[in-house]
Amino acid sequence: MLITIPDLLAPEQVAEARAILESAEWVDGRVTAGHQSARAKDNEQIPEGHPAAREVGEMILRALGANPLFLSAALPLRIFPPLFNRYSGGQNFGTHVDNAIRQVPGSSQRIRTDLSATLFFEDPSSYEGGELCVEDTYGVHRVKLPAGSLVLYPSTSLHHVTPVTRGTRLCSFFWLQSMIRDDGRRSLLFDLDLGIQVLNRELRGNDAAEKTSVQLTGVYHNLVRQWAEM
Ligand code: NI
């Protein structure tokens, strides 16, 4: 399932982040690629652990922690420190799959990549191409979001970024390990949670509906209890 988190960052935060990122030094993006994806990858990145990456990364992590839609959709256990890339002059990233396990730099912590995330920093009309294309059994989904918005997609999927033929595409990307490993189960919980929220808004003192809401909330938490891995 692909999930869009609109306006994760406010326009002022996007502007602040861009100023910090533009002043950093950028290197060849193949530094974080595995053997196979190094052949497909052509972009630039800010080195992992760079102060600019850390500063904007913390801004992103704070925003994620305060975003109910993200928390409900991802049920995150561990989030990899956000990385940053940019594409221009025809650069692209061919079809690949993300590594299953990522070691957090400077720590012994490893993250199983259940979900991949891309956060967009540029106005989509300011560059040509640069679409994130994610393949699943329903076909290829093309994603190019407004600045400040994020897409979450299963890390199990093949994906690529189309050539940027005008302007610059600037994004953050990272992975997360979810408490719910299976995408299908996580989707069920997300749907149930959204349904309960709608029900709760419509209760209007209806006792039977209130009891149903409590029951469904119980089902939600009991499914999390059965399925969660920590
Ligand atoms: Ni990837």
Side-chain angles (χ1 to χ4, degrees):
M1 183 170 58
L2 265 76
I3 297 159
T4 299
I5 313 289
D7 308 318
L8 176 72
L9 297 182
E12 318 79 76
Q13 292 176 300
V14 171
E16 187 189 342
R18 282 180 49 175
I20 296 167
L21 297 172
E22 277 160 15
S23 69
E25 69 260 31
W26 291 74
V27 298
D28 191 312
R30 291 179 185 92
V31 287
T32 56
H35 279 304
Q36 204 177 33
S37 63
R39 287 202 301 267
K41 192 172 186 182
D42 179 19
N43 64 10
E44 289 184 301
Q45 272 179 222
I46 295 180
E48 289 184 54
H50 187 288
R54 269 214 294 276
E55 190 177 351
V56 180
E58 276 160 25
M59 179 197 290
I60 295 168
L61 293 176
R62 275 196 305 275
L64 291 172
N67 189 291
L69 183 61
F70 167 77
L71 295 173
S72 173
L75 294 166
L77 176 62
R78 292 195 257 274
I79 304 178
F80 194 89
L83 298 170
F84 299 88
N85 62 18
R86 70 181 179 191
Y87 297 74
S88 60
Q91 288 182 314
N92 70 98
F93 196 162
T95 302
H96 67 280
V97 68
D98 294 343
N99 286 358
I101 307 289
R102 287 270 168 187
Q103 176 113 21
V104 177
S107 87
S108 58
Q109 194 177 60
R110 283 180 293 183
I111 291 180
R112 185 188 66 227
T113 58
D114 296 324
L115 285 167
S116 301
T118 299
L119 170 61
F120 292 77
F121 280 105
E122 298 283 353
D123 177 351
S125 65
S126 73
Y127 60 100
E128 207 72 56
E131 290 167 311
L132 170 68
C133 301
V134 182
E135 298 177 26
D136 68 13
T137 50
Y138 294 106
V140 178
H141 307 272
R142 304 171 80 85
V143 185
K144 185 170 175 177
L145 298 177
S149 294
L150 175 130
V151 63
L152 278 175
Y153 58 99
S155 303
T156 48
S157 27
L158 291 175
H159 53 276
H160 66 275
V161 176
T162 62
V164 175
T165 54
R166 176 179 64 84
T168 301
R169 176 197 199 261
L170 172 64
C171 286
S172 172
F173 65 103
F174 53 92
W175 305 272
L176 66 89
Q177 180 169 342
S178 175
M179 290 184 283
I180 309 296
R181 174 187 206 145
D182 180 72
D183 193 55
R185 287 180 173 178
R186 205 183 318 107
S187 299
L188 286 176
L189 290 169
F190 183 48
D191 284 345
L192 183 54
D193 191 19
L194 292 179
I196 291 168
Q197 287 177 37
V198 172
L199 183 60
N200 286 346
R201 281 198 294 274
E202 303 293 327
L203 287 175
R204 301 174 209 282
N206 179 326
D207 285 352
E210 238 162 76
K211 179 142 189 257
T212 302
S213 167
V214 173
Q215 277 177 324
L216 291 176
T217 303
V219 170
Y220 177 86
H221 286 287
N222 290 330
L223 286 174
V224 172
R225 228 173 243 117
Q226 291 212 14
W227 292 342
E229 299 166 19
M230 331 258 296

